[in-house]
Amino acid sequence: RFEFCYDCRIGKHDFDEARSVYIYEGGMKKSMYRFKYSNRRAYAKVYAAHALKAQEFWLERIRPEGIVPVPRYKPKERARGYNQAESFARALGERLGVEVRTDLLVRRKETRAMKTMSREERRNNLLLAFQGRECGVNLKRVLIVDDIYTTGATADACSFALKAVGAKSVYVMCVCVGRGD
């Protein structure tokens, strides 16, 4: 049995550590589809409760000072009506008693959908897509949250941007992780 997931065994990342709650398969694929595309924002509370149960000791160890949801491109967010990563972040932040910061990271450009992209195509697609903002607060330990972790390209791009403005440790929590091996 491996200590690291397939993705972390094959490459280095800009984030310090990542965790997920579920594996992206079977019923979770259907659940995530409804969460993302059918306005099932209430699912975020269930995902957060399960995240705390599954990753309680890890969250206690990393002690995040702020939770940062992966930002969506604003026109896409307006069209959908919400950002699913932010819904999860708010539910998680409420349970942890940690502030959710939507002002520390901005998406600077629209990116193409990455469902069918290779690892390298994903990284290129996200090049300079995110920018960190200092906003007068110097958080040292930040937890980025997103819906699905596939190759880590989004987590890396966000982590790089946050570390560029002073974050010392950046951790990632996703609702689901895709199987890589």
Side-chain angles (χ1 to χ4, degrees):
R1 186 141 173 110
F2 294 103
E3 180 179 354
F4 298 104
C5 70
Y6 172 78
D7 186 60
C8 291
R9 289 193 313 264
I10 66 169
K12 183 168 174 13
H13 290 284
D14 289 308
F15 56 84
D16 294 274
E17 292 179 38
R19 297 287 192 277
S20 68
V21 186
Y22 312 100
I23 296 174
Y24 186 64
E25 62 185 14
M28 275 315 299
K29 279 189 174 184
K30 293 174 185 169
S31 178
M32 288 305 294
Y33 184 87
R34 289 188 300 267
F35 179 52
K36 291 175 72 162
Y37 303 112
S38 297
N39 199 18
R40 301 289 172 84
R41 290 181 250 188
Y43 286 15
K45 290 184 178 187
V46 174
Y47 300 153
H50 289 183
L52 261 59
K53 187 173 182 182
Q55 301 298 339
E56 176 184 9
F57 298 113
W58 180 71
L59 288 164
E60 285 175 6
R61 181 174 57 81
I62 67 168
R63 297 181 339 272
E65 298 170 312
I67 298 175
V68 178
V70 171
R72 293 191 48 80
Y73 190 59
K74 286 299 175 194
K76 284 186 178 180
E77 184 175 334
R78 278 192 295 273
R80 185 175 290 170
Y82 64 102
N83 174 348
Q84 69 277 2
E86 185 176 338
S87 295
F88 178 52
R90 294 206 179 279
L92 191 61
E94 188 177 302
R95 286 183 158 273
L96 284 173
V98 176
E99 185 178 10
V100 175
R101 299 295 305 266
T102 59
D103 59 336
L104 298 180
L105 188 64
V106 294
R107 187 178 287 254
R108 295 173 40 178
K109 67 177 189 173
E110 182 176 8
T111 54
R112 296 175 311 170
M114 297 193 290
K115 289 179 185 178
T116 61
M117 290 184 186
S118 70
R119 179 179 304 277
E120 193 60 35
E121 289 170 327
R122 287 170 182 252
R123 291 198 185 282
N124 289 335
N125 188 40
L126 290 167
L127 219 53
L128 303 176
F130 299 100
Q131 179 178 356
R133 297 172 64 198
E134 292 183 37
C135 298
V137 175
N138 195 7
L139 301 179
K140 300 297 182 201
R141 293 180 313 280
V142 177
L143 178 65
I144 295 172
V145 299
D146 203 3
D147 53 3
I148 303 170
Y149 180 105
T150 306
T151 65
T154 302
D156 281 332
C158 292
S159 298
F160 182 83
L162 288 169
K163 285 184 175 182
V165 294
K168 298 296 180 221
S169 301
V170 179
Y171 303 95
V172 179
M173 166 71 74
C174 293
V175 176
C176 289
V177 63
R179 284 198 180 271
D181 49 353

